[in-house]
Amino acid sequence: KGHHHFTLAVLPHLGDLAEGEVVAEGWRLNNPVRAIPASDARDVAADAPGAAPPKPPATCDIRGVSIEAAKAAEDGSGDLVIRLAEVHGARVSGSVSLGAPAASVRVCDLLEDELHINDDRRAGTTAMLVNDHTVEVTLHPFKVLTLRFTTQR
């Protein structure tokens, strides 16, 4: 019932899903860039030439891995929660860079509760803080990995 709208796109590409960057193109289609007008002069001044752009909470350059969420922990602790997803169906490893220093990282479930090293839900995934701005991760195919960082205060 009701009136529905949908978008259909055809993306000719060479190679498979990963080589054609199909998932990334789908994300860009569903999340277009939006212009948000500044409400007053103070907002405009923050975007003035020479002003440093705000740092994202995390960046990930691992092929086939996307950051699905970056947010404060639900318990109000001030911890940062990053949710990664492997979208190409491959086992991958690489680095995630943090925008602010972290003291520790824990692998968690979707409710942000820590998963102990021998928990079956953690099979095939690792996360190790290399330095206060970098974590090395391993994900298995189509895995969603939730990481909880205790920030340096």
Side-chain angles (χ1 to χ4, degrees):
K1 288 188 169 188
H3 193 87
H4 301 276
H5 295 274
F6 69 93
T7 300
L8 175 67
V10 177
L11 176 65
H13 62 279
L14 298 175
D16 62 9
L17 175 82
E19 292 170 32
E21 297 187 359
V22 174
V23 174
E25 288 299 324
W27 192 93
R28 283 190 278 276
L29 175 69
N30 288 312
N31 299 284
V33 174
R34 296 180 298 147
I36 301 172
S39 59
D40 62 28
R42 287 174 294 182
D43 292 338
V44 174
D47 293 331
K55 281 188 172 183
T59 57
C60 177
D61 293 329
I62 306 169
R63 186 174 173 93
V65 175
S66 64
I67 297 176
E68 297 296 319
K71 63 186 202 74
E74 292 292 327
D75 63 6
S77 64
D79 288 356
L80 172 66
V81 174
I82 303 289
R83 194 158 289 130
L84 305 171
E86 195 291 317
V87 297
H88 287 168
R91 183 172 177 80
V92 294
S93 296
S95 300
V96 175
S97 300
L98 303 173
S104 67
V105 62
R106 290 173 280 164
V107 175
C108 296
D109 61 16
L110 293 175
L111 298 176
E112 302 173 8
D113 296 321
E114 183 174 4
L115 295 176
H116 296 286
I117 194 77
N118 57 352
D119 192 309
D120 289 341
R121 295 173 291 171
R122 199 175 156 168
T125 62
T126 60
M128 183 177 69
L129 202 59
V130 177
N131 60 49
D132 61 357
H133 281 85
T134 308
V135 62
E136 292 288 328
V137 298
T138 302
L139 291 92
H140 63 77
F142 302 112
K143 176 71 178 178
V144 174
L145 177 63
T146 302
L147 302 175
R148 183 174 180 144
F149 296 93
T150 303
T151 55
Q152 294 182 352
R153 295 181 178 97

